Amino acid sequence: MRRTFNAGTDALMIENRRLVIHCTIRQFYGWVGAILVLLAGAVLLGYFYADGALSQYKKNSQQLHSRLSGLEENLAASQSTVTRLQLSAEVDTAALEATRQQLVELQRQIYSRDQELKLYREMLQDNHQPNGLSASDLQLVKISDRRFRYHWVARQKIDKVKALRVNAKLWVMGRQQGKVVSLPLDLLDVEINALPIKLRLKYFSINRGVLQLPEGFAPESVRVMLRYPWMEQPQFDKKFVWLAEE
């Protein structure tokens, strides 16, 4: 009896066969042990790698802390140096300013002495100086558009030379809005509180100050009046033409 197999049926039977791997318990434990060894090796390798990285991080951190400490010390030293330099500069500036003020004061004193010496010489050489009180050497120097530095001298010539009290009044005369206006000196010079200005002179008195003219005022002359306090009438009353130097 001949047995015939169908090709399709054979293929289906082959596909339906199951693959069965036979393994003993020893082999199973061997595979498990190998896997555990691999896992333990991976853990140890990771641990050693992490430990090395941590050590390097700690080393870098210590280096950074050391550099930071060095930079902080350098910064503190630099700040201390800057503070000393600033204090030294401030001291030098203050010393220079004090020296400048001393020089200005010395120049003012020298100028004042020169003016006094000049006046003494003029008084000795001038036999035509009027007796009693007089004013001279009125000078005006422009500082700005409305500000002027002024200088004038009150003089005295009497038979018995002695220091006497003198009252002085000054006005700046001119025009404002088409009208004649006379402005007293105490309204123009902030250093003068009120008129009359009380002077005390033996031969002469040099007087200086700064005028601040109001807007719209055109100066034309300066009137100076001098009077002894015990006399009712002024001993000197004169107008000087306004001539200001630039």
Side-chain angles (χ1 to χ4, degrees):
M1 182 177 179
R2 180 179 295 177
R3 190 176 182 179
T4 306
F5 294 95
N6 193 308
T9 303
D10 293 340
L12 181 60
M13 291 176 65
I14 293 172
E15 290 179 359
N16 290 331
R17 290 178 181 176
R18 294 182 179 178
L19 180 62
V20 179
I21 299 175
H22 297 280
C23 132
T24 64
I25 294 177
R26 181 179 296 177
Q27 290 175 339
F28 174 76
Y29 284 116
W31 283 106
V32 171
I35 293 172
L36 292 176
V37 169
L38 289 175
L39 290 175
V43 171
L44 290 175
L45 181 62
Y47 172 78
F48 286 118
Y49 177 78
D51 184 65
L54 180 61
S55 299
Q56 186 64 33
Y57 172 77
K58 290 181 177 179
K59 183 178 179 181
N60 294 337
S61 178
Q62 291 176 353
Q63 291 178 351
L64 290 175
H65 281 295
S66 178
R67 292 184 60 185
L68 179 61
S69 299
L71 291 174
E72 289 177 347
E73 292 177 358
N74 292 336
L75 178 60
S78 299
Q79 289 177 342
S80 178
T81 302
V82 169
T83 301
R84 289 197 301 270
L85 291 175
Q86 287 178 343
L87 291 175
S88 178
E90 291 176 359
V91 171
D92 292 341
T93 301
L96 288 174
E97 179 61 21
T99 302
R100 187 190 68 81
Q101 292 180 359
Q102 291 177 357
L103 289 175
V104 171
E105 179 62 22
L106 287 174
Q107 289 177 347
R108 189 192 66 78
Q109 292 179 4
I110 291 172
Y111 177 78
S112 179
R113 296 292 174 82
D114 289 342
Q115 292 293 312
E116 291 177 2
L117 180 60
K118 176 184 176 182
L119 289 171
Y120 278 122
R121 287 176 178 174
E122 290 178 354
M123 291 181 65
L124 291 174
Q125 296 173 2
D126 186 8
N127 295 323
H128 301 287
Q129 179 182 342
N131 292 327
L133 297 174
S134 63
S136 63
D137 295 337
L138 176 64
Q139 298 176 9
L140 297 164
V141 179
K142 185 176 182 180
I143 301 175
S144 62
D145 186 33
R146 310 302 299 173
R147 298 178 72 240
F148 298 85
R149 185 179 292 109
Y150 68 89
H151 167 283
W152 67 282
V153 179
R155 305 173 70 169
Q156 175 182 247
K157 183 179 179 181
I158 54 179
D159 295 333
K160 295 180 180 181
V161 180
K162 57 181 178 179
L164 296 175
R165 291 184 292 112
V166 175
N167 292 340
K169 292 184 178 181
L170 287 84
W171 298 266
V172 177
M173 307 179 71
R175 293 183 177 273
Q176 190 172 26
Q177 296 180 352
K179 297 180 180 180
V180 177
V181 179
S182 180
L183 302 177
L185 188 62
D186 58 327
L187 294 181
L188 305 178
D189 188 345
V190 295
E191 298 296 327
I192 297 178
N193 296 324
L195 296 180
I197 304 170
K198 300 184 182 301
L199 306 176
R200 187 173 182 84
L201 61 148
K202 186 174 183 180
Y203 297 104
F204 56 84
S205 173
I206 300 175
N207 306 280
R208 301 183 181 88
V210 176
L211 299 172
Q212 177 72 46
L213 299 180
E215 292 292 335
F217 177 77
E220 296 178 351
S221 62
V222 178
R223 180 186 175 189
V224 181
M225 188 179 72
L226 303 175
R227 180 177 65 85
Y228 290 116
W230 58 88
M231 294 185 177
E232 294 183 359
Q233 298 298 323
Q235 284 69 59
F236 181 85
D237 191 347
K238 181 179 179 180
K239 292 181 181 179
F240 296 86
V241 178
W242 179 279
L243 294 174
E245 299 177 5
E246 295 291 338

